[in-house]
Amino acid sequence: MNEPRASVNNFDLARHAVVEASAGTGKTHTIERLVLRLLTEEAVPLEQILVVTFTEKATGELRDRLRRMLERALQKGDDYTPLLQPALHHFDQAPIFTIHGFCQRLLQEYALEQGQDF
């Protein structure tokens, strides 16, 4: 039996969020809504929102859906446009990674602190 989907509005934006569930239960949709809330309600720049997924396929799908979500939100031309336009403009720098991709990036960025040269 499937559990009811948690409301995106119940997530505390001041805390880290982990979204885990079975396939087809709306994880990607939930992440889209959380990112939109962070951008609009908290004015967090997209470059400061870390999104980590398990697979390359999930990462690619999430990138596509987040970009489309931003484009749709900007077409509304509402009060959030000044917050969303920079997010779309700098979308390619958004930290959306697989777990192994995120770890690799950390190792590369902090190689000197670890006494290693990558």
Side-chain angles (χ1 to χ4, degrees):
M1 182 156 97
N2 291 337
E3 294 183 28
R5 187 183 301 184
S7 171
V8 175
N9 295 327
N10 291 339
F11 282 88
D12 180 357
L13 296 180
R15 302 179 53 100
H16 292 91
V18 175
V19 179
E20 64 177 326
S22 301
T25 56
K27 292 180 299 294
T28 302
H29 175 76
T30 299
I31 292 169
E32 286 179 62
R33 303 302 305 164
L34 283 172
V35 169
L36 185 60
R37 285 187 61 208
L38 285 166
L39 292 168
T40 58
E41 296 175 28
E42 301 294 321
V44 175
L46 184 60
E47 302 86 42
Q48 293 182 13
I49 302 172
L50 174 63
V51 179
V52 179
T53 66
F54 284 103
T55 67
E56 294 287 341
K57 181 180 177 184
T59 302
E61 178 185 350
L62 190 53
R63 280 187 169 280
D64 290 343
R65 287 183 54 175
L66 285 172
R67 183 184 298 272
R68 288 195 312 266
M69 178 263 308
L70 285 171
E71 290 168 346
R72 282 191 312 271
L74 281 166
Q75 287 177 349
K76 293 178 183 177
D78 57 20
D79 294 340
Y80 297 122
T81 297
L83 297 171
L84 298 176
Q85 190 63 51
L88 186 58
H89 188 267
H90 300 287
F91 189 81
D92 291 335
Q93 286 78 39
I96 303 168
F97 299 104
T98 59
I99 292 171
H100 63 276
F102 175 66
C103 292
Q104 181 66 33
R105 180 175 175 181
L106 284 179
L107 287 171
Q108 289 173 341
E109 285 186 23
Y110 297 100
L112 293 176
E113 286 89 345
Q114 300 300 315
Q116 300 175 14
D117 188 15
F118 284 89

